[in-house]
Amino acid sequence: MADQAFNPFEMAQRQFDGVAEKLGLDSGTREFLRVPLREFHFSIPVRMDNGSTRVFRGFRVQHNDSRGPAKGGIRFHPHETIDTVRALATWMTWKTAVVDIPLGGGKGGVICDPRELSEKEQEQICRGFIRQIAKNIGPLQDVPAPDVMTNKQHMLWMMDEYEHIMGAQFPGVITGKPVGMGGSLGRTEATGYGVVYTTREALKEIGIDMKGATVSIQGSGNVAQYTLDLLEQSGARVCAISCWDNKDKKAYTYASDAGIQFAQLLASVDKFGTIDPAKAKEYGWKQLDGSAWIEQPVTVLVPAAQENMINADNVEKIKDSVKLIAEGANGPTTPEADAVIQRKKIFLVPDFLCNAGGVTCSYFEQVQNNMNYYWERDEVLTKLDQKMTNAFKAVSAMAKERNVYMRDAAYMISIKRVADACRLRGWV
């Protein structure tokens, strides 16, 4: 788990401030863009299965909607904080801008642990969340989606509650829904596949063949699973993967020189991404310390779970064999670690570019909801590949043109697009 003293929103602001200086943004625009437009804090009372009532704290932050309705997931996590939600909403603004889709940045969260709640209790939290925020979300205002420890069933309960309140069908109010209930084919794979599309382009740029490349992944949830899936299909070998074990309350890394296969991973994880140690042993995977994922002698590192996973304390442990870091998670690398990564000359695909496949496919889901016409999976993934590839090439070109780090180049494109929209609207 990340250090609880770490503040992701302060990190997001530091990243922004550095690029705002490079872009020469005026002070008013800087002040406007470094904080959210609006945020909501609320309480969700839930009648528990044992008859008692518990009150859960919820948040929704809308960072910026100058380029379109706010967009962003809802996380259920026992250590959720408003600063995490603020940071994620901020990063979502830059994420939608870097892939050039007409949406803004939002995020939501509830302080709870769904691993310790019944289905009925989780449903009540979902419906309670929507009751508190229904007037402030909608297809033309703010469109939520699944995130850490939420899934398509949670989204469907939320959509249903919103439609009950509004008295009409609104499939576009939320994305990440089940296929057949307004969901899009390809959405489950989208974030992980997007990570691999950008990884493929980055490896081409640095002259490394994807076939035979070795990878270590931090995380074992949806993003990690489908990153591994497409890496395997592309001929790369995932040699290590880490996960949080809720039973032991600690992280483990599972390593295999022969490679961890997608089918094996799916057979060994529960719905929260925890790997069964007995299954891992059956497959011949070695169980290592949770931090060992970053010390593997591989070609590519993919942090694909939480914030603050590559920091000043562990960045020097990265082996010389590592040529690429692809950030599947939001905010996994601190500014202090960035400085070391640059010094080591490791190519980096920054988070809000690398993991933008999820929001891009969510945008596709909204488009299909609006048309009431749904595309085949291959069409969705082809469009996703095209969007991610074009965005990568634009960021890479900017990095070369301005001789800057890839993260700074991505920020320069995103922040300029958002600042221009705010200026054209007359907000700043």
Side-chain angles (χ1 to χ4, degrees):
M1 295 292 290
D3 179 359
Q4 293 303 302
F6 167 73
N7 188 315
F9 185 51
E10 288 178 3
M11 184 175 102
Q13 289 183 313
R14 285 172 62 193
Q15 291 170 338
F16 169 80
D17 290 341
V19 176
E21 187 68 31
K22 287 184 174 72
L23 287 172
L25 284 188
D26 63 274
S27 59
T29 303
R30 291 190 199 191
E31 187 178 349
F32 184 64
L33 291 179
R34 76 191 304 274
V35 295
L37 274 173
R38 61 190 77 88
E39 58 184 56
F40 307 92
H41 300 225
F42 41 86
S43 299
I44 306 169
V46 170
R47 180 64 58 86
M48 307 298 284
D49 292 348
N50 64 7
S52 67
T53 296
R54 277 183 65 187
V55 179
F56 296 89
R57 293 290 294 156
F59 313 106
R60 186 69 184 174
V61 174
Q62 295 162 355
H63 174 260
N64 191 280
D65 54 11
S66 62
R67 301 183 75 252
K71 185 83 189 79
I74 298 171
R75 296 155 61 109
F76 285 178
H77 199 282
H79 303 299
E80 194 59 86
T81 69
I82 184 59
D83 278 326
T84 302
V85 178
R86 287 170 180 147
L88 292 164
T90 304
W91 286 322
M92 187 60 83
T93 297
W94 315 137
K95 189 180 300 188
T96 55
V98 81
V99 289
D100 201 17
I101 55 179
L103 296 169
K107 210 73 178 185
V110 179
I111 303 172
C112 70
D113 192 340
R115 294 167 297 199
E116 298 174 0
L117 299 170
S118 71
E119 290 279 302
K120 183 182 174 185
E121 290 164 345
Q122 291 176 53
E123 180 179 354
Q124 288 186 77
I125 291 174
C126 291
R127 293 184 183 277
F129 187 97
I130 294 299
R131 284 196 294 272
Q132 292 291 351
I133 204 76
K135 292 178 182 177
N136 304 104
I137 64 169
L140 303 179
Q141 289 175 271
D142 179 7
V143 183
D147 204 285
V148 172
M149 287 201 280
T150 55
N151 56 42
K152 57 191 176 184
Q153 178 61 70
H154 294 126
M155 298 305 105
L156 193 56
W157 285 326
M158 289 184 180
M159 182 191 79
D160 184 70
E161 189 67 25
Y162 184 84
E163 291 181 342
H164 274 298
I165 292 167
M166 297 300 174
Q169 296 265 317
F170 284 97
V173 70
I174 210 155
T175 59
K177 304 179 294 292
V179 172
M181 296 296 292
S184 174
L185 293 167
R187 177 61 186 87
T188 301
E189 308 96 310
T191 309
Y193 277 25
V195 170
V196 181
Y197 296 146
T198 56
T199 296
R200 177 194 67 206
E201 296 304 312
L203 287 174
K204 279 184 197 172
E205 189 148 312
I206 58 180
I208 295 174
D209 193 340
M210 175 84 93
K211 291 181 179 176
T214 53
V215 185
S216 177
I217 300 175
Q218 188 267 324
S220 55
N222 172 272
V223 179
Q225 290 168 20
Y226 286 96
T227 297
L228 188 153
D229 176 28
L230 193 54
L231 283 170
E232 185 181 316
Q233 291 182 48
S234 305
R237 179 162 45 96
V238 175
C239 299
I241 192 163
S242 78
C243 80
W244 177 257
D245 190 306
N246 195 51
K247 182 181 175 184
D248 292 352
K249 303 296 182 188
K250 64 181 293 189
Y252 294 106
T253 296
Y254 292 94
S256 169
D257 292 337
I260 294 169
Q261 296 172 10
F262 178 62
Q264 293 175 332
L265 181 63
L266 282 193
S268 66
V269 295
D270 64 16
K271 63 182 179 180
F272 299 111
T274 297
I275 293 172
D276 180 350
K279 281 281 188 183
K281 189 174 182 181
E282 178 185 323
Y283 296 136
W285 303 346
K286 292 177 286 187
Q287 188 184 77
L288 308 172
D289 185 74
S291 62
W293 73 276
I294 201 170
E295 302 171 33
Q296 300 305 303
V298 293
T299 318
V300 182
L301 293 179
V302 182
Q306 288 187 296
E307 311 84 24
N308 192 31
M309 290 294 108
I310 304 178
N311 52 49
D313 295 332
N314 64 10
V315 66
E316 295 286 4
K317 295 178 180 177
I318 296 175
K319 295 288 191 283
D320 291 342
S321 63
V322 174
K323 305 302 179 190
L324 170 67
I325 296 173
E327 295 184 327
N330 293 305
T333 307
T334 66
E336 294 79 9
D338 270 333
V340 177
I341 290 165
Q342 289 183 74
R343 190 191 78 221
K344 286 174 171 273
K345 296 187 171 10
I346 299 171
F347 195 98
L348 179 129
V349 185
D351 52 357
F352 62 97
L353 167 63
C354 188
N355 66 37
V359 70
T360 302
C361 200
S362 283
Y363 165 59
F364 294 161
E365 183 174 327
Q366 282 183 272
V367 170
Q368 293 169 83
N369 291 159
N370 293 340
M371 293 190 303
N372 199 25
Y373 177 79
Y374 294 84
W375 305 327
E376 296 299 325
R377 178 176 179 272
D378 286 350
E379 184 175 359
V380 173
L381 295 178
T382 298
K383 290 179 188 295
L384 178 64
D385 191 349
Q386 184 177 31
K387 265 288 186 191
M388 296 297 294
T389 300
N390 289 344
F392 176 88
K393 288 180 176 177
V395 172
S396 178
M398 173 68 81
K400 290 171 187 168
E401 178 190 330
R402 299 290 291 266
N403 192 29
V404 294
Y405 189 44
M406 279 285 285
R407 189 185 312 284
D408 289 346
Y411 265 119
M412 290 169 83
I413 290 172
S414 296
I415 292 171
K416 185 178 186 307
R417 283 175 178 167
V418 176
D420 286 350
C422 292
R423 201 171 295 117
L424 287 168
R425 286 179 176 273
W427 293 359
V428 293

